[in-house]
Amino acid sequence: IGEQFRLITEAIPQLVWRCNPDGSADYFSQAFLEYVGYPAEDMLGWGWSEVIHPSDRPKVLEEWKNSREAEDNLSVEFRVKNARGGYRWFVSLGKPFRSESGEVIKYYGTWTNVDDQRRTRENLKQALKVKDEFISVASHELKTPITSMKLQTQMMSRSLKKTGHEFVDPAQLDRLISMSDKQLDRLNRLVDDMLDISRIGAGRFSILRTKMDLSKLTKEVADRYSERLLSEKSILQLDISDGIVGNWDLFRLEQVVDNLISNALKYGEGKPILISLKRAEPNLAVLSVKDQGIGIPKEHQGRIFRRFERAVSSN
């Protein structure tokens, strides 16, 4: 190996290799050897293949074989074991070196660490998947109150056409308007939730603290579900201590309580739901909503604290 070539290979961040036409290696840069933690004699020949992840090795050897048979360039991505025993993603690029007669006499190439880029790509792919899932769920949630309001509007229209304005049943009309109003409130909350997501992403999410009674708020939210509970035969059991007052954001806590009860109703399979609020310490209150539904498998419990995650599919 010429001194100039050696100096060049040691000056670049890539791990440099050189192989014979049969695929066996006869040179590695010092940076290469330091990264894998093996002396040159262990890497020469086909020893280099041992530092490739076992799951990636067959693919790498196949690509290497195909490149040599075609006397073409090599480009393959795989995981490499480092001196500490961990694996990182690398891309290997190689080119044939030919004699004046055109015969391939050597292959020169590099291994470039692309682990950060790979992880960024995977994170982006996951983020796009989560975004698509969120859009799907949000679209479904938004359509539900809109469909309900449309149905109620149609019912009012048919009632007016059938009986005439002067004969409309005020009680029925009031009931339909009240139902539409509730759906509009639900739609407004969903839009606010999505705006909150945008505010969090932009770093503009705000907390407005005021003195408030959490006991009273929790009871009010639970009472709000009374009409729905009658139709679904679900039972809310309240174990709420009175007078738990604190300096909190009323709107955000209302969101929390509402979401917990809503989820318990959705997944509770119609069984009793226990809502508990207790003072644990002078400055600590503990709110819990416990249902007896499908539950969340232990291996998925950590996921639910990440944005847009759910323990079961959206179906």
Side-chain angles (χ1 to χ4, degrees):
I1 302 296
E3 186 61 23
Q4 189 175 22
F5 174 75
R6 192 188 305 277
L7 288 173
I8 292 172
T9 64
E10 301 305 332
I12 62 176
Q14 286 82 6
L15 312 182
V16 181
W17 54 267
R18 188 181 74 177
C19 286
N20 299 310
D22 65 357
S24 62
D26 66 357
Y27 170 77
F28 293 100
S29 65
Q30 187 59 34
F32 191 111
L33 300 173
E34 289 175 358
Y35 183 83
V36 298
Y38 287 98
E41 54 267 24
D42 290 348
M43 292 289 97
L44 296 177
W46 289 89
W48 56 270
S49 65
E50 295 301 314
V51 297
I52 296 174
H53 194 286
S55 299
D56 301 334
R57 195 176 301 146
K59 176 191 72 173
V60 173
L61 294 177
E62 181 66 20
E63 289 289 337
W64 184 213
K65 177 174 174 287
N66 293 338
S67 295
R68 297 197 320 275
E69 289 178 350
E71 296 185 347
D72 201 359
N73 295 339
L74 170 72
S75 178
V76 61
E77 201 167 310
F78 50 89
R79 286 162 289 181
V80 176
K81 188 177 181 181
N82 60 31
R84 295 183 299 276
Y87 283 93
R88 297 291 182 271
W89 282 95
F90 278 74
V91 61
S92 181
L93 301 176
K95 285 195 169 194
F97 180 75
R98 302 176 185 273
S99 65
E100 291 184 0
S101 63
E103 178 186 4
V104 175
I105 54 177
K106 291 288 183 184
Y107 278 88
Y108 288 87
T110 59
W111 285 4
T112 303
N113 191 328
V114 294
D115 198 72
D116 288 342
Q117 296 93 314
R118 176 96 182 198
R119 292 179 190 277
T120 299
R121 192 164 67 238
E122 290 299 320
N123 289 340
L124 179 59
K125 189 186 298 183
Q126 180 62 23
L128 290 172
K129 180 182 177 183
V130 168
K131 183 207 71 172
D132 290 342
E133 171 78 3
F134 168 72
I135 290 174
S136 173
V137 172
S139 299
H140 173 74
E141 293 287 345
L142 287 169
K143 280 182 180 179
T144 301
I146 291 172
T147 302
S148 179
M149 284 190 295
K150 187 173 181 65
L151 178 62
Q152 289 151 21
T153 304
Q154 289 171 344
M155 289 171 64
M156 283 189 282
S157 177
R158 282 198 297 269
S159 179
L160 287 170
K161 288 178 181 177
K162 184 177 179 180
T163 64
H165 291 209
E166 64 274 20
F167 299 111
V168 173
D169 181 357
Q172 181 186 12
L173 189 60
D174 185 64
R175 184 176 62 84
L176 290 171
I177 291 172
S178 177
M179 290 171 65
S180 293
D181 193 51
K182 287 179 180 179
Q183 294 302 328
L184 281 169
D185 286 341
R186 181 182 177 189
L187 189 60
N188 189 53
R189 286 198 304 270
L190 288 168
V191 173
D192 283 340
D193 285 346
M194 286 190 284
L195 285 172
D196 279 346
I197 292 165
S198 175
R199 293 185 188 110
I200 291 169
R204 291 188 284 108
F205 186 80
S206 61
I207 297 293
L208 302 176
R209 297 178 184 274
T210 57
K211 188 175 181 179
M212 56 158 288
D213 189 328
L214 183 58
S215 305
K216 182 180 178 182
L217 173 69
T218 305
K219 290 176 183 176
E220 287 176 353
V221 176
D223 289 343
R224 220 178 281 160
Y225 282 89
S226 58
E227 184 177 330
R228 179 178 178 183
L229 295 180
L230 289 172
S231 64
E232 296 185 2
K233 298 181 181 178
S234 298
I235 301 173
L236 284 185
Q237 299 176 347
L238 305 185
D239 183 17
I240 298 174
S241 297
D242 291 326
I244 297 183
V245 177
N247 192 36
W248 299 308
D249 187 318
L250 186 148
F251 176 68
R252 300 302 177 193
L253 281 183
E254 184 178 11
Q255 282 183 304
V256 170
V257 177
D258 188 85
N259 285 337
L260 290 174
I261 296 176
S262 175
N263 279 339
L265 289 170
K266 188 181 295 183
Y267 300 108
E269 299 180 344
K271 299 174 183 176
I273 296 165
L274 175 63
I275 302 172
S276 171
L277 177 64
K278 299 292 179 183
R279 189 186 302 280
E281 296 174 13
N283 296 314
L284 181 65
V286 177
L287 168 73
S288 71
V289 177
K290 182 178 181 180
D291 64 62
Q292 301 176 52
I294 60 176
I296 301 173
K298 192 170 183 178
E299 63 270 22
H300 295 318
Q301 288 175 9
R303 287 173 43 202
I304 65 172
F305 296 99
R306 300 199 295 261
R307 286 198 304 173
F308 312 142
E309 288 282 3
R310 55 173 66 229
V312 296
S313 77
S314 57
N315 296 325

